[in-house]
Amino acid sequence: MAAATPLLKDELDIVIPTIRNLDFLEMWRPFFQPYHLIIVQDGDPSKIIEVPEGFDYELYNRNDINRILGPKASCISFKDSACRCFGYMVSKKKYIYTIDDDCFVAKDPSGKDINALEQHIKNLLCPSTPHFFNTLYDPYRDGADFVRGYPFSMREGAPTAVSHGLWLNIPDYDAPTQLVKPQERNTRYVDAVMTIPKGTLFPMCGMNLAFDRDLIGPAMYFGLMGDGQPIGRYDDMWAGWCTKVICDHLGLGIKTGLPYIWHSKASNPFVNLKKEYNGIFWQEEIIPFFQAATLSKECTTVQQCYLELSKQVKEKLSTIDPYFTKLGDAMVTWIEAWDELNPTGDNLAKLSIADGPAKTKK
Amino acid sequence: MAAATPLLKDELDIVIPTIRNLDFLEMWRPFFQPYHLIIVQDGDPSKIIEVPEGFDYELYNRNDINRILGPKASCISFKDSACRCFGYMVSKKKYIYTIDDDCFVAKDPSGKDINALEQHIKNLLCPSTPHFFNTLYDPYRDGADFVRGYPFSMREGAPTAVSHGLWLNIPDYDAPTQLVKPQERNTRYVDAVMTIPKGTLFPMCGMNLAFDRDLIGPAMYFGLMGDGQPIGRYDDMWAGWCTKVICDHLGLGIKTGLPYIWHSKASNPFVNLKKEYNGIFWQEEIIPFFQAATLSKECTTVQQCYLELSKQVKEKLSTIDPYFTKLGDAMVTWIEAWDELNPTGDNLAKLSIADGPAKTKK
C-alpha cells in the first residue's frame, strides 16, 4: 500500500528561527520531513547550524538577509526571533507553518503523537465563522454542525487566514506571571478549534502558528524587536493585532485551539521582564488603539491595509514613544521589501537569481 | 465528617418547565435535592404533575399564572417551554438554573457524574473576560491564567451574568439539520469554559442555563411563542439576543462551555420545522438588527435597557411581520409584571400574600 501524500506537500514551507543546532527536528521527522524548511539563523552569522540529515531546507543568516534586502534589511529584527518573518517573505509557497525550536511533539489524551502540521492544514483549508458564535465550536468538524439559531446565510463561513495552535506543558505566560507561578504547567487538553469573532483582538503567539501567505502574508510582520530596540517578546503580539484588524476588514477568519505542541522549556523570566517591560506599559494604549482602528473601504489588499495601518500607528502611537515612528516606517519598508521579493505580473522579471539563500540542501 | 453545604443553597432556584411527571429528577437527586425548585406547568392545568418525594418545590400552572399576573399574563407563552420565564419572575433568589425535563446527568471522560449545577455556580461566581480573548480559555480556572500579551488592566474581568451549558448526545440542532443528520450525536467533551466576546452574538439555548437574576433577570424574557403565535423554538434565542446586547452595554459577561448535561431525546423534526419555519426566515433580519443595536448611555438598569430595546424592536422589526409589534408590547408588559412581582424599596409593601403559588411542598 502506498503511503498517503502529506497534505499540501508542495504548497507549504516550515519557517524556523534559531540560534542553535536543530536537533529538535529529529522528533518531528515523521511529520516534517516531506516539507521544505526555511531556517532563519539569528545572531552570529559565522556560527554553523547543524540540521539533521534528510531534511530539505534553505538557511538564511544575517549576512544573507542584508545581501538580499540591502538597506531594507533594517526592517528585519536581529537577536530576536522576530527575524522569522524574513522567512515568510522569501517563501514562494501559499502556506507557512512556523514553530519554535524548543517545541516538541505533544500527545493527545489517548497517548497518540499529535501531527500538529496536519491539524493546522485542516484548520486553514476549512472556513472560519467570525460573524456569529457557534456554541459547539468548529461547525465544520466531523460530528459537529451549526446549532439551532445559527443564521443559515452565515453558514458558508469566511476563508481562514490564520490557524493559531496552543501549547501543553509550559504555557505562554508573560514575565510577571512566570515569576509568580514558576511551577504552573498547562496539562489541560481542550479538544476544540474555534474562530475568534470579528471585532475581538487576541494575543497571537508565534510558537505554533500557520497562515495562508496569499491571504494575509504581508500583515505577518513581526516588528522591530531585540538588538537596538526598546522592546522584545512583542513581535508575535504586534503581528497578531495588525493581522486581526486586517482580517476583520477583509472578511477573513482566524482560528485558535488545536493543535497542541509540547513546549519544553520556560525562558528566563528575568531576561523576559527586561524585554517586556516597555510592552507591558505600552500595550495598555496599543490595544485600545487597535480595538478602535478602522480601515477605509478603499483598502482592498493586505498591502493597502497594512500601509494605512502604518500611518495610523505613526499618527496615534508615536505619542507613547518615538519608537512607534520608527516602527511605522519599518512597516512601510517591510511592505516594499515584500513586494520586491514577491512581484506580481510584470514585476516578475525583476527577481534576480542572486536573491537565493546561502545554503540549500535537497 | 459533615457533608459540605451545597454552594448557594439558599440563593438559587431551579426552574423547570414541564408537561409531564418529573421522574427525571430522580437522577438529579444527589445534586438538586438541597435546592428549591420552581416548576412551571405548561398546557392543561387540570393535569396533575407528579414530583418525586423529597424535593422542595412550588408549582405554577396556567391558572396560577393568570391569577398572579392578571391581564399581564398575556406576556407569558402557553403551550411552549417559553413559559419557564414566569419562574424567573416569581423567584426571590439571586440565581436561577433552568433545565429541560429531558436532560439527564452526563459523565465526564473519566466516567464521573457531572454536577452541572455546581459548575454553573462556579462559572457565575468568577469573572468573565468579554473585552479581550484569552487563548487558554478561562484564565481564572485552576492551572490556567492570562497568557502573554493580555493587558494587565483587563485582568479583573467583568461580573458574570450568564452561564450557558452544553449537551452531550443529542445536539441542539434546528429542524433542517435534524432532518439532514438524524443520527448525529455530540460525543465530544470539550473541557473548556469561555467568555463570549463583547460585540458577538451567540445562539443561547435554554436547556441548561444559569444566570444571575440581580444582574440580568429582567432581560431573560422568553418572548411570545407557542399557542396563538406564528413561531416556536425561538424563545431562548430571543432571550439570548436581548441579553447579549444588554450585557455588552452594561459591561457584564456571558460564559459558554462546561457543564454538559445528557440530552436524552431528539424532538420531532417535522413538528420543529413547523414551529421554526418563520424564525428561520426572520432571523436573517433579526440578527443584523441585534448586531447593530446600541443603547443610549442613559440606560443604566436592565429594565431601562430592555424598554429601549422593545422600542427599537417595534420600530425596526415590525416591517418583517406585525408579530414584532405584539412582541414589542409584550416586552413592556413583561417588565411591568417583573417590577410588580419584584418591588424595590417603597414598593415592597404592595406585594400581597395572595401572589403565592398554587401548590408548595417543603
Side-chain angles (χ1 to χ4, degrees):
Chain A
M1 202 179 80
T5 307
L7 288 168
L8 304 180
K9 191 183 104 51
D10 299 317
E11 292 169 75
L12 182 142
D13 282 335
I14 300 175
V15 172
I16 303 165
T18 195
I19 50 168
R20 54 194 148 193
N21 295 336
L22 293 177
D23 305 327
F24 92 112
L25 284 173
E26 280 303 345
M27 199 183 184
W28 288 104
R29 191 181 288 277
F31 305 128
F32 289 178
Q33 198 162 345
Y35 295 89
H36 181 69
L37 311 181
I38 297 179
I39 299 162
V40 184
Q41 176 178 352
D42 196 20
D44 180 6
S46 69
K47 190 177 166 182
I48 304 295
I49 300 282
E50 305 276 356
V51 182
E53 273 302 308
F55 283 93
D56 166 34
Y57 69 91
E58 54 196 290
L59 184 148
Y60 298 88
N61 64 28
R62 191 69 207 183
N63 295 337
D64 301 316
I65 295 172
N66 289 340
R67 174 176 52 82
I68 292 168
L69 294 185
K72 296 196 182 75
S74 62
C75 74
I76 304 296
S77 298
F78 186 48
K79 294 193 179 167
D80 192 287
S81 71
C83 67
R84 75 175 83 207
C85 64
F86 178 76
Y88 311 157
M89 191 184 258
V90 291
S91 168
K92 296 285 163 277
K93 306 284 174 61
K94 182 167 164 56
Y95 299 98
I96 295 286
Y97 175 49
T98 184
I99 183 170
D100 281 4
D101 62 5
D102 63 347
C103 292
F104 296 98
V105 177
K107 288 183 188 297
D108 72 16
S110 76
K112 204 180 144 215
D113 280 353
I114 297 167
N115 185 346
L117 182 50
E118 185 183 46
Q119 179 68 48
H120 276 298
I121 291 170
K122 285 181 185 170
N123 292 349
L124 289 171
L125 293 183
C126 95
S128 294
T129 53
H131 300 103
F132 202 75
F133 192 93
N134 194 50
T135 51
L136 286 183
Y137 310 99
D138 181 0
Y140 305 106
R141 195 171 170 187
D142 274 355
D145 211 311
F146 293 95
V147 299
R148 179 171 57 93
Y150 203 103
F152 280 84
S153 63
M154 292 182 184
R155 294 190 186 194
E156 273 189 34
T160 303
V162 180
S163 168
H164 178 259
L166 300 175
W167 344 275
L168 289 172
N169 194 39
I170 307 289
D172 186 31
Y173 286 165
D174 49 64
T177 307
Q178 280 185 298
L179 288 165
V180 171
K181 293 176 150 187
Q183 302 303 328
E184 193 150 287
R185 297 293 177 267
N186 186 25
T187 57
R188 185 172 294 122
Y189 182 94
V190 175
D191 187 13
V193 177
M194 48 180 311
T195 298
I196 302 181
K198 184 176 177 180
T200 299
L201 292 179
F202 78 114
M204 188 179 82
C205 170
M207 222 188 292
N208 172 27
L209 180 73
F211 59 91
D212 183 324
R213 255 183 106 248
D214 288 355
L215 288 179
I216 200 64
M220 278 288 176
Y221 174 46
F222 272 44
L224 293 175
M225 304 280 147
D227 198 46
Q229 307 301 340
I231 185 169
R233 282 171 59 84
Y234 273 85
D235 52 342
D236 41 7
M237 297 299 140
W238 184 260
W241 299 326
C242 295
T243 293
K244 187 61 167 65
V245 167
I246 293 172
C247 282
D248 283 352
H249 177 77
L250 296 176
L252 303 171
I254 297 183
K255 292 181 185 174
T256 183
L258 301 182
Y260 287 93
I261 52 78
W262 180 265
H263 186 203
S264 64
K265 197 167 151 267
S267 45
N268 184 318
F270 298 98
V271 173
N272 290 347
L273 186 59
K274 216 167 182 173
K275 292 179 181 172
E276 288 173 12
Y277 179 85
N278 278 319
I280 287 173
F281 287 94
W282 292 348
Q283 72 184 357
E284 297 292 341
E285 292 182 58
I286 297 172
I287 285 169
F289 160 77
F290 279 107
Q291 284 177 328
T294 55
L295 301 168
S296 63
K297 64 173 191 287
E298 283 69 39
C299 297
T300 56
T301 68
V302 179
Q303 277 91 332
Q304 287 166 348
C305 291
Y306 203 74
L307 291 173
E308 178 153 325
L309 207 48
S310 76
K311 276 184 213 151
Q312 296 182 20
V313 164
K314 289 175 72 169
E315 261 171 51
K316 299 195 180 153
L317 295 181
S318 56
T319 52
I320 303 177
D321 193 279
Y323 166 74
F324 291 94
T325 306
K326 203 163 63 167
L327 179 55
D329 289 334
M331 291 168 76
V332 177
T333 306
W334 159 263
I335 293 294
E336 290 169 357
W338 181 282
D339 285 344
E340 204 172 292
L341 292 189
N342 295 276
T344 49
D346 291 351
N347 293 334
L348 261 169
K350 287 190 197 162
L351 188 69
S352 139
I353 194 81
D355 289 349
K359 186 175 168 188
T360 65
K361 182 155 175 197
K362 292 261 174 190
Chain B
M1 203 180 81
T5 307
L7 286 168
L8 303 180
K9 190 182 103 52
D10 299 316
E11 293 169 76
L12 182 141
D13 283 335
I14 300 176
V15 173
I16 303 165
T18 195
I19 50 168
R20 55 193 148 195
N21 294 336
L22 293 177
D23 304 327
F24 92 112
L25 284 173
E26 280 303 346
M27 199 183 185
W28 288 105
R29 192 180 287 278
F31 305 129
F32 289 178
Q33 198 162 344
Y35 295 89
H36 182 69
L37 311 181
I38 298 178
I39 298 162
V40 185
Q41 177 178 351
D42 197 19
D44 180 5
S46 70
K47 189 176 166 185
I48 304 295
I49 300 284
E50 306 276 357
V51 181
E53 274 302 307
F55 283 93
D56 166 35
Y57 70 91
E58 54 195 291
L59 183 148
Y60 299 88
N61 64 28
R62 191 70 208 184
N63 295 336
D64 303 315
I65 295 172
N66 290 340
R67 175 174 52 81
I68 292 168
L69 293 185
K72 295 195 183 75
S74 62
C75 74
I76 304 296
S77 299
F78 186 48
K79 294 193 180 165
D80 192 287
S81 71
C83 68
R84 77 174 82 207
C85 64
F86 178 76
Y88 311 158
M89 192 185 257
V90 292
S91 168
K92 295 286 165 277
K93 306 284 174 62
K94 181 167 163 58
Y95 299 97
I96 296 286
Y97 175 50
T98 186
I99 183 170
D100 281 4
D101 62 5
D102 62 348
C103 292
F104 295 97
V105 178
K107 288 185 187 297
D108 71 17
S110 76
K112 204 180 144 214
D113 279 353
I114 298 168
N115 185 345
L117 182 50
E118 186 184 44
Q119 179 68 49
H120 276 297
I121 291 171
K122 284 182 187 171
N123 293 349
L124 289 171
L125 293 183
C126 95
S128 295
T129 53
H131 300 102
F132 201 76
F133 192 94
N134 194 51
T135 51
L136 286 183
Y137 310 99
D138 181 359
Y140 304 106
R141 196 170 171 187
D142 274 354
D145 212 310
F146 293 95
V147 300
R148 179 171 58 91
Y150 203 103
F152 280 83
S153 64
M154 292 182 183
R155 295 191 184 194
E156 272 189 35
T160 303
V162 180
S163 168
H164 178 261
L166 301 175
W167 344 275
L168 289 172
N169 195 39
I170 307 288
D172 186 31
Y173 287 164
D174 48 66
T177 308
Q178 281 184 297
L179 288 164
V180 172
K181 294 178 152 184
Q183 302 303 329
E184 192 150 290
R185 297 294 177 266
N186 185 24
T187 58
R188 184 173 292 123
Y189 182 94
V190 175
D191 187 13
V193 177
M194 47 179 313
T195 298
I196 302 183
K198 184 175 178 182
T200 300
L201 292 178
F202 78 114
M204 189 179 82
C205 170
M207 223 189 291
N208 172 27
L209 181 72
F211 59 92
D212 183 324
R213 255 182 107 250
D214 289 355
L215 288 180
I216 200 66
M220 278 287 176
Y221 175 45
F222 273 44
L224 293 174
M225 303 281 146
D227 198 47
Q229 308 301 340
I231 184 170
R233 282 172 58 86
Y234 274 86
D235 52 340
D236 43 5
M237 297 299 141
W238 183 261
W241 299 325
C242 295
T243 293
K244 187 58 166 66
V245 167
I246 294 173
C247 282
D248 283 351
H249 177 77
L250 296 176
L252 303 171
I254 297 183
K255 291 180 187 174
T256 185
L258 303 184
Y260 287 94
I261 51 79
W262 180 266
H263 187 205
S264 64
K265 198 166 150 266
S267 45
N268 184 317
F270 298 96
V271 173
N272 290 346
L273 186 59
K274 216 166 183 174
K275 292 179 180 173
E276 288 173 12
Y277 179 84
N278 278 319
I280 286 172
F281 287 94
W282 293 349
Q283 71 184 356
E284 298 292 341
E285 292 182 59
I286 296 172
I287 284 169
F289 160 76
F290 279 108
Q291 283 177 329
T294 54
L295 300 168
S296 63
K297 65 172 190 283
E298 284 69 37
C299 296
T300 56
T301 68
V302 179
Q303 277 91 332
Q304 287 166 349
C305 291
Y306 203 74
L307 292 173
E308 178 154 326
L309 207 47
S310 75
K311 276 186 213 153
Q312 296 182 20
V313 165
K314 289 176 72 170
E315 261 172 49
K316 300 196 179 154
L317 295 182
S318 55
T319 51
I320 303 178
D321 193 278
Y323 166 75
F324 290 95
T325 305
K326 204 164 61 166
L327 180 55
D329 289 335
M331 292 168 75
V332 176
T333 307
W334 159 264
I335 292 294
E336 289 169 357
W338 182 282
D339 285 344
E340 205 172 293
L341 292 188
N342 295 275
T344 49
D346 291 350
N347 293 337
L348 260 169
K350 288 187 196 162
L351 189 68
S352 138
I353 195 78
D355 289 349
K359 185 176 168 187
T360 64
K361 183 157 173 195
K362 292 263 175 192

